[in-house]
Amino acid sequence: SQTIHQWPATLVQPVGSPLSLECTVEGTSNPNLYWYRQAAGRGLQLLFYSVGIGQISSEVPQNLSASRPQDRQFILSSKKLLLSDSGFYLCAWSTGMGQFGYTFGSGTRLTVV
Amino acid sequence: EDQVTQSPEALRLQEGESSSLNCSYTVSGLRGLFWYRQDPGKGPEFLFTLYSAGEEKEKERLKATLTKKESFLHITAPKPEDSATYLCAVQAVGTSGTYKYIFGTGTRLKVLA
């Protein structure tokens, strides 16, 4: 069966520090991978998506970047965090273009202080 | 502009008190409408996909329906364990032919024993 792992679950980082969040998928090949951010009272905001190794599309200009070094690994990074980067970050995968829905990870609560 | 609106924002029900959640959308080229359940501090969990007006899907106490302008998630005789945030999302075809996935802000449901 397919599973998705996302870590860490919570993270408190000072302003200006780097960030690395990792997501891995098991039980499927060549998934589409996504990074979302969820702010309180707002819908999920798509940050990045990837249809293959090394292929990253950015939806929102920001202080973050993403990489896909392996087929089932997706990494969200920042060189210098801002207060506005605080939020709940979710990784997700889908087959095809998501027409059958997404499977989400358990999320990372990031607080920038 | 493509938009997904969910109502109400929050709903409190007594155990056994049936009700409906609404998801209205204005998008061009609807490919599918999705319902997710999200527990506090967790990632969304896929519930249903609806593809065309008139379609219905059921799962335990939940039933989702779709019209050309909106979807309803009917909850029959809810139990406290149904308490969660219910998210609606639509997948539509963008102007460049790519797919886009738009989430609503959710309905927070609280079922009291």
Side-chain angles (χ1 to χ4, degrees):
Chain A
S1 63
Q2 302 95 349
T3 56
I4 180 168
H5 302 281
Q6 188 180 343
W7 67 94
T10 59
L11 193 59
V12 180
Q13 292 284 96
V15 169
S17 64
L19 172 73
S20 181
L21 302 181
E22 189 165 341
C23 171
T24 60
V25 180
E26 296 178 358
T28 186
S29 296
N30 199 30
N32 284 356
L33 297 172
Y34 310 85
W35 278 111
Y36 278 88
R37 179 166 58 201
Q38 186 176 34
R42 301 177 64 179
L44 275 74
Q45 180 188 34
L46 179 63
L47 302 176
F48 301 95
Y49 70 92
S50 172
V51 299
I53 296 173
Q55 300 179 62
I56 308 293
S57 296
S58 174
E59 289 293 304
V60 181
Q62 60 215 326
N63 186 41
L64 302 169
S65 62
S67 62
R68 185 171 177 174
Q70 299 180 43
D71 181 45
R72 289 169 286 180
Q73 183 184 28
F74 205 22
I75 297 172
L76 182 68
S77 304
S78 173
K79 292 183 178 178
K80 289 186 177 182
L81 284 169
L82 306 171
L83 287 173
S84 57
D85 292 323
S86 294
F88 191 49
Y89 289 83
L90 290 158
C91 179
W93 75 271
S94 72
T95 56
M97 296 308 296
Q99 61 268 39
F100 304 112
Y102 290 1
T103 299
F104 285 88
S106 54
T108 295
R109 173 71 60 189
L110 172 66
T111 303
V112 182
V113 296
Chain B
E1 181 185 354
D2 295 331
Q3 199 167 7
V4 176
T5 303
Q6 291 188 248
S7 62
E9 289 187 12
L11 181 63
R12 292 166 67 93
L13 299 173
Q14 291 296 129
E15 184 173 4
E17 180 186 2
S18 301
S19 187
S20 297
L21 312 182
N22 178 264
C23 172
S24 63
Y25 61 91
T26 52
V27 297
S28 55
L30 178 72
R31 296 280 299 178
L33 185 140
F34 306 83
W35 282 99
Y36 293 85
R37 169 193 170 125
Q38 186 174 23
D39 292 306
K42 304 290 185 183
E45 176 188 349
F46 173 77
L47 292 173
F48 304 109
T49 308
L50 301 166
Y51 294 107
S52 57
E55 189 174 359
E56 298 181 353
K57 293 277 180 71
E58 285 189 67
K59 181 180 181 180
E60 297 181 352
R61 294 176 293 280
L62 301 177
K63 179 180 177 180
T65 61
L66 180 65
T67 71
K68 289 185 177 180
K69 294 183 178 180
E70 59 191 349
S71 175
F72 291 94
L73 184 65
H74 306 279
I75 304 178
T76 302
K79 298 181 177 181
E81 53 262 41
D82 294 322
S83 298
T85 296
Y86 291 86
L87 298 172
C88 168
V90 299
Q91 187 181 48
V93 178
T95 52
S96 58
T98 59
Y99 294 121
K100 51 183 177 177
Y101 213 80
I102 306 162
F103 279 89
T105 53
T107 293
R108 297 188 310 278
L109 173 66
K110 178 74 173 177
V111 182
L112 305 172

